[in-house]
Amino acid sequence: MTTETPVLLGPNQPLDRPYRGGAGIARFRGTPQPSPFTPEDFVGSTTEVFAGGGVGLTVLPDGRMLRDAVAADPVFFLGPHHVERFGARTMLLVKLLDTAERLFVHYHPDDAFAARHLGGPLGKTEAWAVIEAEPDAYAALGFRRPVASTEVEAWWAGQDADAMLAAMNRVPLAAGDTLLVPAGLAHAIGPGVTLVELQQPTDLSILIERRSLPERDALLGLDLSTAIGGLVREVTPEERIYALRQGRDAETLFPADADPFFAAERLHVSGSRELEPGFSVLVVLDGTGALQTATGSLPLRRGSTVLTAHGDGPLGLSGELDVIRCRPPQ
């Protein structure tokens, strides 16, 4: 079956997630908020939530799952060099995320931990590009002091979120900010933040703060000692956080540490601009315009999200646009 890309992607928001959010996604996209518990929008997703059931997977306009379409024709979607290196895995998940309350204190395992304990080759390094933020918005990231495993176990036993946050670095967030969050670092996003998230294509979160979730769900089925074994308990110093917040130039959003995992460019278009072929997700932050291909064009506006494939060939952006292009590792 021939796949018609590029394709405009509508909202893909799993219901009944364990924290409140989604109003910022509705404002950004100009669409209704499905419920108070839809804080994530899986964009161009071949990844389902950890519980499975196909939740989170993108459905193409022809009715096929994107995951199935990529598996059927990986070279068209991903290109021969990508397929030679990574196989048919896209190596990318993009989300829109919006918080109406502070997220759980949690961390994501790295590749080695995932392979050893969770039966998969990929962990979850992620990065954020903030679209909107309330005046006092923040994230908590890494620890300000060394933390012993016995202390983490005590936090878990007492579910002492205040003590967890007191041990962590507080990072202010504002619209336009970026932050790379390497696997292993404890983190939480405060309320009132809407962002574009790039991540390795897994749904692996180990929750130190579980609130009302069952222990098995919070720890991904692992025992506590094993589950916290991948947590970075050493100090994450200010200079490290500063480096994680810095892009490399006006367009490259994240530091070089992101390169093994994904890439993102912020493109300002006034007139026209050509893009090289490749699998990517475009997120239009502002403006109006169009995306041109050899076969036609797609209208773009704030909140538009578009999937492109390697087989589309060169692309063109036109109009007055501010766009993030999210891509797999190059």
Side-chain angles (χ1 to χ4, degrees):
M1 180 183 293
T2 301
T3 302
E4 292 189 6
T5 55
V7 59
L8 283 165
L9 299 172
N12 176 29
Q13 296 174 255
L15 299 172
D16 302 323
R17 298 299 272 169
Y19 64 96
R20 293 181 297 116
I25 297 171
R27 286 193 303 272
F28 178 63
R29 280 194 173 279
T31 56
Q33 183 180 0
S35 91
F37 289 89
T38 51
E40 298 169 314
D41 186 343
F42 287 53
V43 186
S45 170
T46 60
T47 304
E48 60 186 358
V49 300
F50 185 76
V55 177
L57 295 174
T58 290
V59 180
L60 295 170
D62 62 18
R64 290 184 299 164
M65 296 289 186
L66 174 61
R67 181 172 66 181
D68 296 338
V70 172
D73 196 352
V75 172
F76 173 82
F77 278 95
L78 305 172
H81 299 300
H82 181 110
V83 172
E84 181 179 358
R85 184 178 177 193
F86 300 115
R89 294 196 301 267
T90 65
M91 300 300 290
L92 176 68
L93 174 59
V94 177
K95 293 179 183 175
L96 305 179
L97 186 147
D98 174 73
T99 60
E101 62 183 318
R102 179 181 57 77
L103 270 62
F104 303 76
V105 176
H106 66 290
Y107 87 94
H108 306 301
D110 64 13
D111 292 358
F113 186 101
R116 188 178 307 116
H117 299 295
L118 297 169
L122 299 179
K124 185 179 171 184
T125 284
E126 66 185 34
W128 311 330
V130 180
I131 300 172
E132 294 181 354
E134 293 181 359
D136 296 325
Y138 69 93
L141 180 67
F143 294 119
R144 298 190 297 112
R145 57 175 176 79
V147 172
S149 60
T150 53
E151 185 173 14
V152 179
E153 291 168 356
W155 289 342
W156 168 266
Q159 283 299 294
D160 192 346
D162 289 342
M164 299 177 202
L165 292 167
M168 298 173 72
N169 298 292
R170 187 180 176 100
V171 181
L173 294 178
D177 284 348
T178 62
L179 181 64
L180 175 65
V181 182
L185 288 189
H187 60 282
I189 306 173
V193 180
T194 307
L195 54 82
V196 179
E197 179 177 89
L198 289 79
Q199 61 178 77
Q200 290 179 273
T202 71
D203 186 42
L204 300 179
S205 297
I206 293 176
L207 309 184
I208 305 169
E209 176 193 4
R210 68 184 177 94
R211 299 179 189 169
S212 62
L213 287 178
E215 178 175 329
R216 179 175 179 80
D217 293 348
L219 300 181
L220 301 182
L222 304 172
D223 64 89
L224 179 61
S225 178
T226 300
I228 66 174
L231 176 66
V232 175
R233 294 183 286 102
E234 296 80 15
V235 173
T236 301
E238 288 185 11
E239 56 268 26
R240 172 63 169 155
I241 293 174
Y242 177 82
L244 295 173
R245 289 168 65 89
Q246 303 306 306
R248 275 167 286 170
D249 51 47
E251 292 192 347
T252 306
L253 291 185
F254 305 121
D257 286 0
D259 290 353
F261 306 105
F262 38 68
E265 303 166 290
R266 184 163 183 169
L267 308 174
H268 300 281
V269 178
S270 182
S272 62
R273 178 165 181 168
E274 186 171 303
L275 305 181
E276 63 182 355
F279 179 87
S280 70
V281 171
L282 304 179
V283 181
V284 181
L285 302 182
D286 207 358
T288 58
L291 177 69
Q292 284 89 24
T293 70
T295 58
S297 67
L298 292 176
L300 301 178
R301 61 170 179 80
R302 175 178 168 84
S304 296
T305 53
V306 180
L307 175 74
T308 75
H310 174 83
D312 296 329
L315 306 167
L317 288 173
S318 63
E320 299 290 329
L321 292 165
D322 188 6
V323 178
I324 294 179
R325 189 180 194 191
C326 309
R327 305 184 71 180
Q330 301 299 294

